[in-house]
Amino acid sequence: MGTAYTPGLTVSADSVIRKIRRLPLKGQVLVQVGDSVSPDTVVARTELPGPITTLRVAERLGVEPRELSKFLLKQVGDKVHAGEVIAERKALFGLLTSRVTSPVTGTIDFVSEATGNIGIRHLPTPVEVTAYLRGLVVEVIPEEGAVVATRGVFVQGIFGLGGERHGEIALLANSPDEVVPDMKLSDEHKGKVLIAGALANWRLMEAARQVGVTALVTGGVLDSDIKKLLGYDIGVAITGHEPLPFTLIVTEGFGEIAMARRTFELLASQEGRDASVNGATQIRAGVIRPEIVVPQDETLTMDNLQVPEEDKFATGELNLGTPIRLIRTPYFGALGRVVSLPPEPQEIETETKTRVLEAELVTGEKVVVPRANVEIFPHE
């Protein structure tokens, strides 16, 4: 995805937030520019091809691979059900019959007369991308997805776990430095985005799990409690896919740390309103921060979703002209601007394919680098 994020954490009472909602491969876009969407609105849909199960049919029938076609009951492209006969050989005037059945439901993908094998592709997996935000569709990416925008409160955390969710904000702590006891949680907090204080310890997180909390926002957390919660050490790769029934967002850091008063008071002022949250975090190339988005109540229009000039690089999107800093050798620390965003993945020096961009450095040199190797960095 063509996304990078500004260094530091954003805490804003009025921001225009734009999110690219893109399928992992081409499919069908279900919305149009100007459509109003809610967090659960499906904006695009596709199907991931299923894996292939290979069967040694000629070997099981006891025939030569080149003879396989004589015994097939199904051809390439035909649908089959688990347990259905796909090949059959009769011997001794029909007294002996050898059959091969499909172990899975799917489609015949290939028949090889060189090996005598048949490939059955499993049923595709449907994939849907939702809007995530309550807002408007401001751009459609043909066959891929859409850009959804909203306006309202935008708060970034420093670390998070769990993916995209939404729920009503409820205040759990009375002050940003309070350590909330787990017995303060009750069934009334089910489905809520809870604003805690200085620490979410393991007991509080376990209570959040049992109650059915949507998200827990806290100033600090202990690394040992995260390990206890997950059952393993968290790595340095991107988070957001942990097997947790709630999303955790840490605004300040590790340890018992009071939530910044500005952050606490801003979130507390949103109590009772619906928020979209995402705990995905990446601290390496292409920094990603966990976030809380609370759309405003007023009617959204294409006009009031225009990004103010002073904030035009604060939405986390790479566009032509975006100021950037390169964060990988051989251009580590170099400043420049985006001059081209090729849409298709390209092969790089490591012989892997990835999305790249072309940047013009302040020295005038033009370079092509992976998009993950830059961060948005206003420098003028």
Side-chain angles (χ1 to χ4, degrees), residues 19-213:
K19 294 295 176 182
I20 300 175
R21 311 299 291 165
R22 180 180 270 126
L23 293 166
L25 71 166
K26 290 188 176 182
Q28 180 184 12
V29 180
L30 307 176
V31 293
Q32 298 178 345
V33 172
D35 284 356
S36 295
V37 292
S38 64
D40 295 326
T41 300
V42 177
V43 299
R45 179 183 295 126
T46 190
E47 291 184 337
L48 290 176
I52 291 179
T53 292
T54 301
L55 303 178
R56 297 179 178 179
V57 179
E59 179 181 309
R60 291 170 61 176
L61 291 179
V63 300
E64 292 295 324
R66 64 178 180 273
E67 300 177 316
L68 179 60
S69 60
K70 300 177 184 178
F71 306 98
L72 294 180
L73 303 180
K74 295 287 184 178
Q75 304 300 323
V76 172
D78 288 350
K79 294 182 179 179
V80 296
H81 296 281
E84 185 176 0
V85 178
I86 59 175
E88 181 179 80
R89 180 196 177 200
K90 294 181 179 180
L92 293 176
F93 306 103
L95 297 177
L96 295 177
T97 302
S98 298
R99 293 187 178 92
V100 177
T101 59
S102 174
V104 299
T105 297
T107 304
I108 303 295
D109 191 78
F110 68 84
V111 174
S112 173
E113 293 189 354
T115 63
N117 295 341
I118 289 180
I120 302 176
R121 186 174 292 279
H122 296 220
L123 294 176
T125 302
V127 175
E128 294 181 338
V129 173
T130 61
Y132 171 57
L133 301 175
R134 176 172 61 82
L136 295 182
V137 176
V138 296
E139 181 183 342
V140 167
I141 307 170
E143 299 183 297
E144 294 188 42
V147 179
V148 176
T150 194
R151 187 163 196 152
V153 170
F154 182 51
V155 174
Q156 287 182 314
I158 200 166
F159 173 77
L161 298 172
E164 298 174 352
R165 292 181 169 92
H166 69 95
E168 182 183 307
I169 290 182
L171 196 59
L172 195 61
N174 295 316
S175 65
D177 58 353
E178 180 183 355
V179 177
V180 178
D182 59 291
M183 66 277 297
K184 198 168 184 177
L185 267 69
S186 65
D187 290 341
E188 70 179 80
H189 296 119
K190 182 178 181 179
K192 301 293 181 66
V193 175
L194 300 182
I195 311 304
L199 180 69
N201 56 35
W202 177 79
R203 291 187 301 275
L204 184 64
M205 291 188 287
E206 184 60 23
R209 186 208 300 267
Q210 294 176 4
V211 166
V213 167

Side-chain angles (χ1 to χ4, degrees), residues 11 155 171-178 195-198 217 251-252 258-270:
V11 177
V155 174
L171 196 59
L172 195 61
N174 295 316
S175 65
D177 58 353
E178 180 183 355
I195 311 304
V217 183
T251 63
E252 311 304 322
M259 188 180 295
R261 182 164 293 278
R262 179 188 174 201
T263 302
F264 181 83
E265 292 178 351
L266 178 58
L267 293 175
S269 71
Q270 304 303 304

Side-chain angles (χ1 to χ4, degrees), residues 309 312-314 317-325 335-341 357-362 374-380:
E309 184 67 23
K312 66 179 180 178
F313 301 122
E317 298 172 28
L318 286 171
N319 296 295
L320 298 183
T322 300
I324 58 172
R325 176 169 62 185
L335 303 177
R337 287 186 175 274
V338 176
V339 296
S340 177
L341 291 165
L357 61 80
E358 182 181 11
E360 182 176 1
L361 306 183
V362 293
V374 307
E375 64 181 1
I376 295 174
F377 189 77
H379 48 79
E380 291 183 357

